[in-house]
PDB file of all heavy atoms in Angstrom:
ATOM      1  N   ARG A   1      12.717  50.316  77.622  1.00 91.00           N
ATOM      2  CA  ARG A   1      13.155  49.798  76.393  1.00 91.00           C
ATOM      3  C   ARG A   1      14.318  50.644  75.906  1.00 91.00           C
ATOM      4  O   ARG A   1      15.375  50.137  75.280  1.00 91.00           O
ATOM      5  CB  ARG A   1      12.080  49.858  75.397  1.00 91.00           C
ATOM      6  CG  ARG A   1      11.044  48.690  75.522  1.00 91.00           C
ATOM      7  CD  ARG A   1       9.829  48.881  74.577  1.00 91.00           C
ATOM      8  NE  ARG A   1      10.255  48.947  73.217  1.00 91.00           N
ATOM      9  CZ  ARG A   1       9.485  49.080  72.220  1.00 91.00           C
ATOM     10  NH1 ARG A   1       8.142  49.361  72.388  1.00 91.00           N
ATOM     11  NH2 ARG A   1       9.795  49.168  70.906  1.00 91.00           N
ATOM     12  N   THR A   2      14.276  51.962  76.146  1.00 91.00           N
ATOM     13  CA  THR A   2      15.303  52.832  75.754  1.00 91.00           C
ATOM     14  C   THR A   2      16.687  52.456  76.514  1.00 91.00           C
ATOM     15  O   THR A   2      17.725  52.362  75.942  1.00 91.00           O
ATOM     16  CB  THR A   2      14.982  54.366  76.073  1.00 91.00           C
ATOM     17  OG1 THR A   2      13.865  54.566  75.333  1.00 91.00           O
ATOM     18  CG2 THR A   2      16.199  55.174  75.628  1.00 91.00           C
ATOM     19  N   ARG A   3      16.596  52.151  77.802  1.00 90.00           N
ATOM     20  CA  ARG A   3      17.752  51.859  78.634  1.00 90.00           C
ATOM     21  C   ARG A   3      18.344  50.414  78.253  1.00 90.00           C
ATOM     22  O   ARG A   3      19.514  50.346  78.177  1.00 90.00           O
ATOM     23  CB  ARG A   3      17.435  51.874  80.048  1.00 90.00           C
ATOM     24  CG  ARG A   3      17.376  53.228  80.673  1.00 90.00           C
ATOM     25  CD  ARG A   3      18.575  53.885  80.929  1.00 90.00           C
ATOM     26  NE  ARG A   3      19.479  52.991  81.807  1.00 90.00           N
ATOM     27  CZ  ARG A   3      19.429  53.108  83.073  1.00 90.00           C
ATOM     28  NH1 ARG A   3      18.597  53.916  83.788  1.00 90.00           N
ATOM     29  NH2 ARG A   3      20.196  52.382  83.902  1.00 90.00           N
ATOM     30  N   LEU A   4      17.495  49.563  77.867  1.00 92.00           N
ATOM     31  CA  LEU A   4      17.763  48.141  77.459  1.00 92.00           C
ATOM     32  C   LEU A   4      18.671  48.323  76.182  1.00 92.00           C
ATOM     33  O   LEU A   4      19.734  47.688  76.012  1.00 92.00           O
ATOM     34  CB  LEU A   4      16.689  47.281  77.246  1.00 92.00           C
ATOM     35  CG  LEU A   4      15.982  46.732  78.557  1.00 92.00           C
ATOM     36  CD1 LEU A   4      14.753  46.037  78.147  1.00 92.00           C
ATOM     37  CD2 LEU A   4      16.925  45.771  79.264  1.00 92.00           C
ATOM     38  N   ARG A   5      18.304  49.226  75.304  1.00 92.00           N
ATOM     39  CA  ARG A   5      19.025  49.329  74.019  1.00 92.00           C
ATOM     40  C   ARG A   5      20.334  50.001  74.240  1.00 92.00           C
ATOM     41  O   ARG A   5      21.347  49.790  73.686  1.00 92.00           O
ATOM     42  CB  ARG A   5      18.179  50.075  73.006  1.00 92.00           C
ATOM     43  CG  ARG A   5      18.761  50.244  71.666  1.00 92.00           C
ATOM     44  CD  ARG A   5      17.813  50.802  70.639  1.00 92.00           C
ATOM     45  NE  ARG A   5      17.316  51.907  71.096  1.00 92.00           N
ATOM     46  CZ  ARG A   5      16.041  52.222  71.349  1.00 92.00           C
ATOM     47  NH1 ARG A   5      15.267  51.265  71.528  1.00 92.00           N
ATOM     48  NH2 ARG A   5      15.722  53.436  71.727  1.00 92.00           N
ATOM     49  N   SER A   6      20.272  51.150  75.094  1.00 92.00           N
ATOM     50  CA  SER A   6      21.563  51.987  75.217  1.00 92.00           C
ATOM     51  C   SER A   6      22.468  51.371  76.141  1.00 92.00           C
ATOM     52  O   SER A   6      23.713  51.493  75.800  1.00 92.00           O
ATOM     53  CB  SER A   6      21.064  53.345  75.882  1.00 92.00           C
ATOM     54  OG  SER A   6      20.533  53.212  77.044  1.00 92.00           O
ATOM     55  N   ASP A   7      22.023  50.679  77.217  1.00 91.00           N
ATOM     56  CA  ASP A   7      23.008  50.175  78.209  1.00 91.00           C
ATOM     57  C   ASP A   7      23.537  48.734  77.725  1.00 91.00           C
ATOM     58  O   ASP A   7      24.604  48.418  77.904  1.00 91.00           O
ATOM     59  CB  ASP A   7      22.379  50.011  79.500  1.00 91.00           C
ATOM     60  CG  ASP A   7      22.212  51.368  80.136  1.00 91.00           C
ATOM     61  OD1 ASP A   7      22.302  52.359  79.445  1.00 91.00           O
ATOM     62  OD2 ASP A   7      21.849  51.492  81.360  1.00 91.00           O
ATOM     63  N   LEU A   8      22.530  47.977  77.225  1.00 92.00           N
ATOM     64  CA  LEU A   8      22.857  46.442  77.038  1.00 92.00           C
ATOM     65  C   LEU A   8      22.828  46.037  75.556  1.00 92.00           C
ATOM     66  O   LEU A   8      23.112  44.898  75.106  1.00 92.00           O
ATOM     67  CB  LEU A   8      22.016  45.652  77.781  1.00 92.00           C
ATOM     68  CG  LEU A   8      21.942  45.910  79.354  1.00 92.00           C
ATOM     69  CD1 LEU A   8      21.017  45.019  80.058  1.00 92.00           C
ATOM     70  CD2 LEU A   8      23.403  45.569  79.833  1.00 92.00           C
ATOM     71  N   GLY A   9      22.397  47.018  74.688  1.00 92.00           N
ATOM     72  CA  GLY A   9      22.266  46.630  73.236  1.00 92.00           C
ATOM     73  C   GLY A   9      21.258  45.789  72.792  1.00 92.00           C
ATOM     74  O   GLY A   9      21.322  45.091  71.897  1.00 92.00           O
ATOM     75  N   LEU A  10      20.165  45.645  73.760  1.00 92.00           N
ATOM     76  CA  LEU A  10      19.068  44.716  73.525  1.00 92.00           C
ATOM     77  C   LEU A  10      18.030  45.489  72.863  1.00 92.00           C
ATOM     78  O   LEU A  10      17.424  46.243  73.501  1.00 92.00           O
ATOM     79  CB  LEU A  10      18.687  44.139  74.814  1.00 92.00           C
ATOM     80  CG  LEU A  10      19.719  43.138  75.523  1.00 92.00           C
ATOM     81  CD1 LEU A  10      19.290  42.788  76.886  1.00 92.00           C
ATOM     82  CD2 LEU A  10      20.009  41.942  74.664  1.00 92.00           C
ATOM     83  N   THR A  11      17.653  45.099  71.724  1.00 91.00           N
ATOM     84  CA  THR A  11      16.486  45.812  70.999  1.00 91.00           C
ATOM     85  C   THR A  11      15.283  45.027  71.375  1.00 91.00           C
ATOM     86  O   THR A  11      15.222  43.943  71.932  1.00 91.00           O
ATOM     87  CB  THR A  11      16.749  45.681  69.473  1.00 91.00           C
ATOM     88  OG1 THR A  11      16.662  44.435  69.119  1.00 91.00           O
ATOM     89  CG2 THR A  11      18.058  46.405  69.019  1.00 91.00           C
ATOM     90  N   SER A  12      14.131  45.653  70.877  1.00 88.00           N
ATOM     91  CA  SER A  12      12.867  44.975  71.138  1.00 88.00           C
ATOM     92  C   SER A  12      12.602  43.664  70.388  1.00 88.00           C
ATOM     93  O   SER A  12      11.693  43.036  70.646  1.00 88.00           O
ATOM     94  CB  SER A  12      11.750  45.969  70.719  1.00 88.00           C
ATOM     95  OG  SER A  12      11.910  46.468  69.459  1.00 88.00           O
ATOM     96  N   GLN A  13      13.429  43.545  69.447  1.00 89.00           N
ATOM     97  CA  GLN A  13      13.409  42.196  68.762  1.00 89.00           C
ATOM     98  C   GLN A  13      13.893  41.080  69.562  1.00 89.00           C
ATOM     99  O   GLN A  13      13.673  39.873  69.436  1.00 89.00           O
ATOM    100  CB  GLN A  13      14.209  42.157  67.426  1.00 89.00           C
ATOM    101  CG  GLN A  13      13.504  42.875  66.237  1.00 89.00           C
ATOM    102  CD  GLN A  13      13.460  44.489  66.445  1.00 89.00           C
ATOM    103  OE1 GLN A  13      14.447  45.006  66.918  1.00 89.00           O
ATOM    104  NE2 GLN A  13      12.427  45.134  66.198  1.00 89.00           N
ATOM    105  N   LYS A  14      14.996  41.464  70.463  1.00 89.00           N
ATOM    106  CA  LYS A  14      15.541  40.502  71.317  1.00 89.00           C
ATOM    107  C   LYS A  14      14.618  40.278  72.632  1.00 89.00           C
ATOM    108  O   LYS A  14      14.406  39.206  73.003  1.00 89.00           O
ATOM    109  CB  LYS A  14      16.961  41.056  71.780  1.00 89.00           C
ATOM    110  CG  LYS A  14      18.057  40.620  70.791  1.00 89.00           C
ATOM    111  CD  LYS A  14      18.420  39.173  70.865  1.00 89.00           C
ATOM    112  CE  LYS A  14      19.740  39.007  70.037  1.00 89.00           C
ATOM    113  NZ  LYS A  14      20.109  37.672  70.218  1.00 89.00           N
ATOM    114  N   VAL A  15      14.397  41.211  73.284  1.00 92.00           N
ATOM    115  CA  VAL A  15      13.493  41.205  74.463  1.00 92.00           C
ATOM    116  C   VAL A  15      12.247  42.094  74.429  1.00 92.00           C
ATOM    117  O   VAL A  15      12.337  43.156  73.835  1.00 92.00           O
ATOM    118  CB  VAL A  15      14.459  41.594  75.730  1.00 92.00           C
ATOM    119  CG1 VAL A  15      15.543  40.639  76.022  1.00 92.00           C
ATOM    120  CG2 VAL A  15      15.041  43.105  75.593  1.00 92.00           C
ATOM    121  N   GLN A  16      11.220  41.674  74.925  1.00 93.00           N
ATOM    122  CA  GLN A  16       9.948  42.374  74.867  1.00 93.00           C
ATOM    123  C   GLN A  16       9.646  42.861  76.359  1.00 93.00           C
ATOM    124  O   GLN A  16       9.713  42.105  77.349  1.00 93.00           O
ATOM    125  CB  GLN A  16       8.889  41.610  74.359  1.00 93.00           C
ATOM    126  CG  GLN A  16       9.175  41.231  72.891  1.00 93.00           C
ATOM    127  CD  GLN A  16      10.129  40.022  72.702  1.00 93.00           C
ATOM    128  OE1 GLN A  16       9.995  39.036  73.550  1.00 93.00           O
ATOM    129  NE2 GLN A  16      11.008  40.117  71.895  1.00 93.00           N
ATOM    130  N   VAL A  17       9.230  44.193  76.478  1.00 93.00           N
ATOM    131  CA  VAL A  17       8.947  44.721  77.690  1.00 93.00           C
ATOM    132  C   VAL A  17       7.336  45.072  77.830  1.00 93.00           C
ATOM    133  O   VAL A  17       6.921  45.708  76.813  1.00 93.00           O
ATOM    134  CB  VAL A  17       9.667  46.076  78.040  1.00 93.00           C
ATOM    135  CG1 VAL A  17       9.252  46.594  79.403  1.00 93.00           C
ATOM    136  CG2 VAL A  17      11.294  45.678  78.020  1.00 93.00           C
ATOM    137  N   SER A  18       6.798  44.678  78.849  1.00 92.00           N
ATOM    138  CA  SER A  18       5.386  45.045  79.135  1.00 92.00           C
ATOM    139  C   SER A  18       5.155  45.554  80.585  1.00 92.00           C
ATOM    140  O   SER A  18       5.940  45.068  81.521  1.00 92.00           O
ATOM    141  CB  SER A  18       4.337  43.897  78.858  1.00 92.00           C
ATOM    142  OG  SER A  18       4.662  42.834  79.798  1.00 92.00           O
ATOM    143  N   VAL A  19       4.345  46.552  80.717  1.00 90.00           N
ATOM    144  CA  VAL A  19       4.109  47.106  82.042  1.00 90.00           C
ATOM    145  C   VAL A  19       2.727  47.162  82.406  1.00 90.00           C
ATOM    146  O   VAL A  19       1.941  47.737  81.584  1.00 90.00           O
ATOM    147  CB  VAL A  19       4.807  48.577  82.215  1.00 90.00           C
ATOM    148  CG1 VAL A  19       4.617  49.085  83.636  1.00 90.00           C
ATOM    149  CG2 VAL A  19       6.323  48.437  81.915  1.00 90.00           C
ATOM    150  N   GLU A  20       2.314  46.723  83.614  1.00 89.00           N
ATOM    151  CA  GLU A  20       0.876  46.784  83.860  1.00 89.00           C
ATOM    152  C   GLU A  20       0.769  47.141  85.311  1.00 89.00           C
ATOM    153  O   GLU A  20       1.316  46.439  86.263  1.00 89.00           O
ATOM    154  CB  GLU A  20       0.234  45.456  83.673  1.00 89.00           C
ATOM    155  CG  GLU A  20      -1.270  45.570  84.085  1.00 89.00           C
ATOM    156  CD  GLU A  20      -1.904  44.264  83.636  1.00 89.00           C
ATOM    157  OE1 GLU A  20      -1.429  43.383  82.888  1.00 89.00           O
ATOM    158  OE2 GLU A  20      -3.112  44.124  84.010  1.00 89.00           O
ATOM    159  N   GLY A  21       0.306  48.273  85.741  1.00 86.00           N
ATOM    160  CA  GLY A  21       0.147  48.788  87.053  1.00 86.00           C
ATOM    161  C   GLY A  21       1.552  49.095  87.683  1.00 86.00           C
ATOM    162  O   GLY A  21       1.744  48.868  88.921  1.00 86.00           O
ATOM    163  N   GLY A  22       2.551  49.336  86.881  1.00 85.00           N
ATOM    164  CA  GLY A  22       3.861  49.578  87.381  1.00 85.00           C
ATOM    165  C   GLY A  22       4.736  48.303  87.507  1.00 85.00           C
ATOM    166  O   GLY A  22       5.938  48.384  87.694  1.00 85.00           O
ATOM    167  N   GLN A  23       4.081  47.277  87.274  1.00 88.00           N
ATOM    168  CA  GLN A  23       4.836  45.934  87.376  1.00 88.00           C
ATOM    169  C   GLN A  23       5.435  45.605  85.949  1.00 88.00           C
ATOM    170  O   GLN A  23       4.714  45.532  84.834  1.00 88.00           O
ATOM    171  CB  GLN A  23       3.985  44.821  87.867  1.00 88.00           C
ATOM    172  CG  GLN A  23       4.678  43.329  87.953  1.00 88.00           C
ATOM    173  CD  GLN A  23       3.896  42.207  88.529  1.00 88.00           C
ATOM    174  OE1 GLN A  23       3.975  42.317  89.766  1.00 88.00           O
ATOM    175  NE2 GLN A  23       3.065  41.629  87.840  1.00 88.00           N
ATOM    176  N   VAL A  24       6.702  45.380  85.973  1.00 91.00           N
ATOM    177  CA  VAL A  24       7.428  45.239  84.696  1.00 91.00           C
ATOM    178  C   VAL A  24       7.566  43.687  84.393  1.00 91.00           C
ATOM    179  O   VAL A  24       8.103  42.965  85.287  1.00 91.00           O
ATOM    180  CB  VAL A  24       8.895  45.881  84.780  1.00 91.00           C
ATOM    181  CG1 VAL A  24       9.564  45.634  83.425  1.00 91.00           C
ATOM    182  CG2 VAL A  24       8.627  47.371  84.995  1.00 91.00           C
ATOM    183  N   THR A  25       7.325  43.295  83.150  1.00 93.00           N
ATOM    184  CA  THR A  25       7.538  41.950  82.687  1.00 93.00           C
ATOM    185  C   THR A  25       8.566  42.012  81.586  1.00 93.00           C
ATOM    186  O   THR A  25       8.224  42.890  80.511  1.00 93.00           O
ATOM    187  CB  THR A  25       6.338  41.167  82.427  1.00 93.00           C
ATOM    188  OG1 THR A  25       5.471  41.160  83.463  1.00 93.00           O
ATOM    189  CG2 THR A  25       6.551  39.721  81.875  1.00 93.00           C
ATOM    190  N   VAL A  26       9.480  41.318  81.421  1.00 94.00           N
ATOM    191  CA  VAL A  26      10.492  41.230  80.307  1.00 94.00           C
ATOM    192  C   VAL A  26      10.599  39.786  79.880  1.00 94.00           C
ATOM    193  O   VAL A  26      10.927  38.902  80.677  1.00 94.00           O
ATOM    194  CB  VAL A  26      11.862  41.786  80.780  1.00 94.00           C
ATOM    195  CG1 VAL A  26      12.842  41.661  79.535  1.00 94.00           C
ATOM    196  CG2 VAL A  26      11.754  43.133  81.287  1.00 94.00           C
ATOM    197  N   GLY A  27      10.362  39.515  78.625  1.00 93.00           N
ATOM    198  CA  GLY A  27      10.540  38.367  78.055  1.00 93.00           C
ATOM    199  C   GLY A  27      11.320  38.420  76.798  1.00 93.00           C
ATOM    200  O   GLY A  27      12.032  39.338  76.516  1.00 93.00           O
ATOM    201  N   GLY A  28      11.718  37.262  76.162  1.00 92.00           N
ATOM    202  CA  GLY A  28      12.460  37.293  75.040  1.00 92.00           C
ATOM    203  C   GLY A  28      13.614  36.085  75.239  1.00 92.00           C
ATOM    204  O   GLY A  28      13.454  35.208  76.135  1.00 92.00           O
ATOM    205  N   GLN A  29      14.589  36.193  74.335  1.00 90.00           N
ATOM    206  CA  GLN A  29      15.639  35.251  74.384  1.00 90.00           C
ATOM    207  C   GLN A  29      17.029  36.007  74.351  1.00 90.00           C
ATOM    208  O   GLN A  29      17.195  36.886  73.508  1.00 90.00           O
ATOM    209  CB  GLN A  29      15.539  34.325  73.270  1.00 90.00           C
ATOM    210  CG  GLN A  29      16.492  33.086  73.342  1.00 90.00           C
ATOM    211  CD  GLN A  29      16.007  31.983  72.366  1.00 90.00           C
ATOM    212  OE1 GLN A  29      14.909  31.389  72.530  1.00 90.00           O
ATOM    213  NE2 GLN A  29      16.809  31.758  71.362  1.00 90.00           N
ATOM    214  N   VAL A  30      18.050  35.631  75.230  1.00 90.00           N
ATOM    215  CA  VAL A  30      19.361  36.196  75.195  1.00 90.00           C
ATOM    216  C   VAL A  30      20.338  34.976  75.225  1.00 90.00           C
ATOM    217  O   VAL A  30      19.994  33.820  75.459  1.00 90.00           O
ATOM    218  CB  VAL A  30      19.590  37.025  76.483  1.00 90.00           C
ATOM    219  CG1 VAL A  30      18.609  38.256  76.589  1.00 90.00           C
ATOM    220  CG2 VAL A  30      19.431  36.258  77.690  1.00 90.00           C
ATOM    221  N   GLU A  31      21.691  35.273  75.013  1.00 89.00           N
ATOM    222  CA  GLU A  31      22.596  34.335  74.761  1.00 89.00           C
ATOM    223  C   GLU A  31      23.286  33.818  76.093  1.00 89.00           C
ATOM    224  O   GLU A  31      23.872  32.870  75.944  1.00 89.00           O
ATOM    225  CB  GLU A  31      23.808  34.913  73.803  1.00 89.00           C
ATOM    226  CG  GLU A  31      23.238  35.055  72.368  1.00 89.00           C
ATOM    227  CD  GLU A  31      22.272  36.068  72.113  1.00 89.00           C
ATOM    228  OE1 GLU A  31      22.271  37.030  72.870  1.00 89.00           O
ATOM    229  OE2 GLU A  31      21.492  36.049  71.231  1.00 89.00           O
ATOM    230  N   SER A  32      23.137  34.519  77.228  1.00 90.00           N
ATOM    231  CA  SER A  32      23.810  34.077  78.337  1.00 90.00           C
ATOM    232  C   SER A  32      23.037  34.380  79.736  1.00 90.00           C
ATOM    233  O   SER A  32      22.158  35.313  79.641  1.00 90.00           O
ATOM    234  CB  SER A  32      25.176  34.768  78.446  1.00 90.00           C
ATOM    235  OG  SER A  32      25.105  36.092  78.667  1.00 90.00           O
ATOM    236  N   GLU A  33      23.422  33.658  80.697  1.00 91.00           N
ATOM    237  CA  GLU A  33      22.783  33.924  82.026  1.00 91.00           C
ATOM    238  C   GLU A  33      23.158  35.270  82.522  1.00 91.00           C
ATOM    239  O   GLU A  33      22.358  36.029  83.156  1.00 91.00           O
ATOM    240  CB  GLU A  33      23.193  32.875  82.984  1.00 91.00           C
ATOM    241  CG  GLU A  33      22.546  32.948  84.361  1.00 91.00           C
ATOM    242  CD  GLU A  33      21.099  32.775  84.462  1.00 91.00           C
ATOM    243  OE1 GLU A  33      20.562  32.188  83.438  1.00 91.00           O
ATOM    244  OE2 GLU A  33      20.477  33.223  85.444  1.00 91.00           O
ATOM    245  N   LEU A  34      24.371  35.769  82.221  1.00 91.00           N
ATOM    246  CA  LEU A  34      24.817  36.971  82.620  1.00 91.00           C
ATOM    247  C   LEU A  34      24.124  38.131  81.984  1.00 91.00           C
ATOM    248  O   LEU A  34      23.684  39.114  82.740  1.00 91.00           O
ATOM    249  CB  LEU A  34      26.403  37.241  82.275  1.00 91.00           C
ATOM    250  CG  LEU A  34      27.304  36.656  83.280  1.00 91.00           C
ATOM    251  CD1 LEU A  34      28.723  36.830  82.829  1.00 91.00           C
ATOM    252  CD2 LEU A  34      27.131  37.162  84.574  1.00 91.00           C
ATOM    253  N   THR A  35      23.618  38.052  80.763  1.00 92.00           N
ATOM    254  CA  THR A  35      22.893  38.972  80.139  1.00 92.00           C
ATOM    255  C   THR A  35      21.513  39.055  80.739  1.00 92.00           C
ATOM    256  O   THR A  35      20.884  40.134  81.146  1.00 92.00           O
ATOM    257  CB  THR A  35      22.672  38.739  78.692  1.00 92.00           C
ATOM    258  OG1 THR A  35      23.925  38.647  77.935  1.00 92.00           O
ATOM    259  CG2 THR A  35      21.780  39.745  77.954  1.00 92.00           C
ATOM    260  N   ARG A  36      20.874  37.898  81.156  1.00 92.00           N
ATOM    261  CA  ARG A  36      19.572  37.806  81.744  1.00 92.00           C
ATOM    262  C   ARG A  36      19.728  38.505  83.172  1.00 92.00           C
ATOM    263  O   ARG A  36      18.798  39.370  83.550  1.00 92.00           O
ATOM    264  CB  ARG A  36      19.243  36.358  81.981  1.00 92.00           C
ATOM    265  CG  ARG A  36      17.727  36.156  82.557  1.00 92.00           C
ATOM    266  CD  ARG A  36      17.344  34.749  82.696  1.00 92.00           C
ATOM    267  NE  ARG A  36      18.055  34.240  83.878  1.00 92.00           N
ATOM    268  CZ  ARG A  36      17.649  34.248  85.078  1.00 92.00           C
ATOM    269  NH1 ARG A  36      16.515  35.074  85.424  1.00 92.00           N
ATOM    270  NH2 ARG A  36      18.513  33.809  86.125  1.00 92.00           N
ATOM    271  N   LYS A  37      20.781  38.357  83.859  1.00 93.00           N
ATOM    272  CA  LYS A  37      20.934  38.975  85.159  1.00 93.00           C
ATOM    273  C   LYS A  37      21.135  40.421  84.999  1.00 93.00           C
ATOM    274  O   LYS A  37      20.734  41.235  85.852  1.00 93.00           O
ATOM    275  CB  LYS A  37      22.120  38.493  85.895  1.00 93.00           C
ATOM    276  CG  LYS A  37      21.870  37.008  86.440  1.00 93.00           C
ATOM    277  CD  LYS A  37      23.202  36.361  87.191  1.00 93.00           C
ATOM    278  CE  LYS A  37      22.854  35.042  87.697  1.00 93.00           C
ATOM    279  NZ  LYS A  37      24.030  34.547  88.514  1.00 93.00           N
TER     280      LYS A  37
END
């Protein structure tokens, strides 16, 4: 979450991060396919 905010300007209101057993899931909504990538 810290890297998403510092590198891409994405706050927890935009994208949500969950981790279970080391597996990362990111959800939410962004404005472009490039941001998703």
Side-chain angles (χ1 to χ4, degrees):
R1 286 174 57 183
T2 300
R3 284 286 301 274
L4 285 169
R5 185 171 58 252
S6 64
D7 289 13
L8 302 177
L10 296 173
T11 65
S12 57
Q13 286 73 39
K14 276 280 186 184
V15 293
Q16 297 77 50
V17 180
S18 62
V19 182
E20 185 173 349
Q23 182 169 269
V24 179
T25 301
V26 180
Q29 190 165 291
V30 297
E31 286 72 24
S32 70
E33 181 66 18
L34 279 178
T35 302
R36 189 180 71 82
K37 289 181 178 180

